[in-house]
Amino acid sequence: MFRKIRWSDTEGQAVCPHCGGLDPYECRRSNGALRFRCKACQKDFTITSGTLFASHKMPLRAYLAAIAIFTNEVKGKSALAMSRDLGLAYKSAFVLSHKLREAMSEESRGRIVGGEGKEVEIDGGYFGGYVKPANNKADRKDRRMWENKSGKRKVVIIVRERNGKSLPAVFRSEGQALNFIRSRVAKGTVIHADESNAWNDLHARFEMKRINHEEGYSLNGACTNMAEGFFSRLRRAEVGHHHHVAGVYLLRYAQEATWREDNRRVSNGEQVSRVAGLAMVRKPSVDFSGYWQRHKAV
Ligand SMILES: [Zn+2]
């Protein structure tokens, strides 16, 4: 399956990643592991060379099982549950699940949403900092001020095209997301957003529909329910599974939630081959190459 995904143009026949040579031959390692050698350039490679699963420790079959377990859990799978299900050490499951998030992130990389006649919802949700966000609605403003000072608080921005794809990003504040929105939402798009002042500058470029949540009314049919649905699911994942969605990996969790949202109507079998395919086009992990060598104390 990995061969067919990696070398789809040649129906699974190995292609040299160094020179593009089309007639490599099998040249197994002394332990029997599959490896190829290119006739043209004499270099060795494996199915996963140059991909997210490069220098993998487990057999590839185990990665398929891991992907199936990971994608099958609608709200997200914790590393602890993954290590139990697969009989892996916790740290292996931790690194593996982050690699799968990296693979999922590949799908929305560079994505442009919207366009003429299309509608997009944008919304921001704050994560991290000292006070747990789920417990606290009444003193929202004070909390934001305090946490902005602490520097740990970040806002996840979600841009969701109706009947289309989604796009996540992470910033310090909603205001800092404006250039991102301008560059990734196509001209001619109608944008739905809440009453937050941060979005006011977008009126110069887009037709905007604003909804005032405190008063509970919508202007011109403005509605951000889809964007809010994304956050309620991301927060449930935070409470139920991951506990600390915030921090340096906040974007990865947001990308995972985005992928799940965009692929929710796809069968589990198809989800598995999509994530496996994304892992094969993704370059070796930016987050986790040598992670445990760098974090010995963890
Ligand atoms: Zn070659």
Side-chain angles (χ1 to χ4, degrees), residues 244-298:
H244 290 287
V245 161
V248 280
Y249 300 118
L250 181 58
L251 178 62
R252 291 282 180 241
Y253 287 109
Q255 287 164 333
E256 175 193 355
T258 300
W259 190 92
R260 290 182 187 280
E261 201 62 38
D262 287 351
N263 290 277
R264 68 193 184 282
R265 297 196 205 290
V266 168
S267 73
N268 192 229
E270 176 61 20
Q271 288 179 347
V272 172
S273 56
R274 282 189 190 182
V275 174
L278 291 166
M280 299 314 261
V281 297
R282 178 91 184 173
K283 297 277 182 292
S285 174
V286 289
D287 297 341
F288 288 103
S289 295
Y291 179 83
W292 295 103
Q293 281 75 23
R294 281 183 279 118
H295 295 78
K296 278 207 173 95
V298 177

Side-chain angles (χ1 to χ4, degrees), residues 20 45 78 116 178 192 217 225 255:
F45 59 94
S78 74
E116 210 62 55
L178 294 185
H192 295 247
Y217 65 82
N225 284 348
Q255 287 164 333

Side-chain angles (χ1 to χ4, degrees), residues 46-59:
T46 68
I47 299 175
T48 56
S49 290
T51 76
L52 190 58
F53 291 152
S55 62
H56 57 97
K57 305 282 189 304
M58 302 190 300

Side-chain angles (χ1 to χ4, degrees), residues 31 47-48 87 181 208 297:
N31 66 5
I47 299 175
T48 56
I181 292 168
M208 300 287 293

